[in-house]
Amino acid sequence: MTTTDNAVPPHDTDWSAHRGIPLMRALATALTVLDAATGPEAFTLPYPSEVQRALDRTVLACLERGAEPPVSLPDLLSWCRERPVADWPVGLPAEAAGPEDLLLDPDSSRPTELCYEWAEQFSDSALVLYDREIIRAALRLCREYGEEDAYTEFRRLLVTRPVLTTAEEWAVSMDHVLDPVKELLNRIYLPVPDSYLRSGVYATCGRCLTLLTPLPDGGWWCERDRCRRRGRPPLGRRIPKEEAGELLQLARPLRQFVTGPGRAETRLEGRLTALGLKVRMWPAYDAYDVHVTFPDGWVWAVDVKDWAHPAFLGRAARPVPQEPRYDEAFWVVPQDRVDDRPGYIATYERNRPVTARRVPLLTDTQLLARAQDRLEHTGRTMCEEETGDA
């Protein structure tokens, strides 16, 4: 995952004839604005400008097509929770959404991953681009200090520790490797509200490490769509309030676009390392995600793309940067993304630009199998060469 990619896909004009595309951009941005707002004023007139614009444009699009529009903001939010985007009468191209894609989670009314991907790929909203600005600031600061290790540790911290107790935050503040980005850390780890508490205890998800929200029925809700699809979230850490001090968590855009995808990156790192390969994460200040060196010196460059929407992924495709040097390059998507959406790879390939044709998209399962095959082949070759020398 590279959070510094351009916001607009490289061949956006392909969808320019579909008026539903700019509408969905505006609507997704509006939903992220509402999600970030606090207090009842977010749902009272006058609405935030992004929200009012999205409501007006949705109504107009429906009226132009002779369809009944949403009559109010609450009605529009009901559409987002209950009506798959593909069924909206707004003129979307066929591959812009799947048959079950919703913009809001029906249980929590929070933006889905699809909603965030619409907003992230097409919006110029400062709120939506927050995660990119933070990563760019970290890159700039670490380059100014000449400390590549500081950037690598910063990224790993955001991926592996989205929640910090007071004691943990103090330990991080004492880590001098992170000195170039200390100011950023103070800005992006925010106090956790009491709404995450149940009986005086916070709980994290055992899969994605983010805080769980307690539900009235006694269960827990995870903010990650893919966790919810896999059933009830397994409880990870249980943190009593008296032990937490002032509990902190990463800002939501960073949890969505850095912590979540980063879990796929670090899982791949662990599995490649277990094969005996030399793995370097986010090399050369995040030129790409994973630099893999085989025993014979052959090098792979891997960019991990944990995206729900294959058409968006295809439209954002680009060649992997040439440095640090490599012999082969791949884009990789988690296997469960492909399992969740039939035709994922084919949709990606139909939407990628000509400039990215030479970069194959593999699942992480396929990449690991290819790595194992290459290890076995090179092992046999080296054995045969040693036997021949003898």
Side-chain angles (χ1 to χ4, degrees), residues 62-375:
C62 291
L63 292 175
E64 287 179 340
R65 290 174 169 266
E68 185 175 348
V71 297
S72 63
L73 177 60
D75 194 23
L76 176 61
L77 297 179
S78 294
W79 278 35
C80 295
R81 283 191 303 267
E82 300 166 7
R83 189 169 186 172
V85 173
D87 294 341
W88 287 41
V90 296
L92 286 172
E95 292 189 334
E100 299 179 0
D101 287 340
L102 298 170
L103 291 177
L104 292 179
D105 176 69
D107 296 321
S108 68
S109 295
R110 303 288 297 275
T112 61
E113 290 177 353
L114 174 72
C115 180
Y116 271 103
E117 287 182 8
W118 270 102
E120 177 79 0
Q121 289 305 301
F122 297 108
S123 178
D124 59 0
S125 162
L127 173 67
V128 171
L129 300 180
Y130 172 83
D131 62 296
R132 295 181 185 180
E133 294 304 319
I134 292 297
I135 294 299
R136 286 176 181 141
L139 286 166
R140 175 181 56 79
L141 290 168
C142 293
R143 284 191 176 110
E144 288 176 358
Y145 277 77
E147 297 286 352
E148 185 178 338
D149 288 348
Y151 177 77
T152 300
E153 186 160 343
F154 172 79
R155 281 294 294 271
R156 194 176 295 278
L157 178 72
L158 270 55
V159 170
T160 62
R161 303 178 73 182
V163 178
L164 295 176
T165 65
T166 294
E168 291 165 346
E169 190 275 334
W170 182 85
V172 168
S173 72
M174 294 294 103
D175 185 347
H176 294 300
V177 175
L178 290 167
D179 281 348
V181 291
K182 291 287 175 65
E183 178 186 348
L184 281 181
L185 293 176
N186 292 333
R187 288 169 47 196
I188 64 179
Y189 278 94
L190 308 176
V192 173
D194 288 345
S195 58
Y196 285 92
L197 280 169
R198 168 174 288 146
S199 301
V201 175
Y202 302 99
T204 66
C205 177
R207 281 192 287 257
C208 66
L209 308 184
T210 57
L211 282 175
L212 297 172
T213 301
L215 297 175
D217 65 0
W220 297 89
W221 180 83
C222 180
E223 67 187 21
R224 296 290 292 172
D225 292 3
R226 65 192 309 175
C227 275
R228 296 195 300 276
R229 285 195 297 271
R230 294 171 66 181
R232 287 182 174 271
L235 291 184
R237 299 170 64 194
R238 297 178 63 86
I239 310 170
K241 185 176 182 180
E242 62 270 17
E243 295 178 12
E246 183 180 42
L247 194 67
L248 304 174
Q249 68 173 339
L250 281 174
R252 176 67 191 267
L254 290 166
R255 301 197 307 270
Q256 178 71 31
F257 291 109
V258 181
T259 305
R263 296 292 293 159
E265 296 163 9
T266 55
R267 281 195 302 270
L268 184 60
E269 174 193 20
R271 296 168 75 181
L272 290 167
T273 300
L275 292 177
L277 298 171
K278 181 180 178 181
V279 180
R280 180 182 168 199
M281 297 298 290
W282 310 295
Y285 299 100
D286 206 13
Y288 45 83
D289 295 325
V290 190
H291 180 276
V292 185
T293 306
F294 286 81
D296 64 350
W298 193 262
V299 174
W300 281 358
V302 180
D303 254 339
V304 181
K305 304 295 181 181
D306 189 10
W307 290 34
H309 199 303
F312 289 169
L313 180 57
R315 295 168 65 78
R318 57 176 177 74
V320 176
Q322 294 294 316
E323 294 293 335
R325 71 139 214 103
Y326 53 82
D327 300 291
E328 289 182 275
F330 308 94
W331 273 26
V332 169
V333 64
Q335 181 68 49
D336 59 353
R337 290 293 191 193
V338 175
D339 294 340
D340 286 343
R341 190 184 287 260
Y344 189 106
I345 300 291
T347 300
Y348 161 83
E349 291 176 344
R350 282 194 298 273
N351 283 275
R352 67 180 171 179
V354 173
T355 54
R357 296 293 188 204
R358 294 185 178 180
V359 181
L361 178 66
L362 305 179
T363 67
D364 52 4
T365 302
Q366 291 170 329
L367 184 83
L368 289 162
R370 187 174 293 200
Q372 184 68 58
D373 288 345
R374 191 175 193 288
L375 282 169

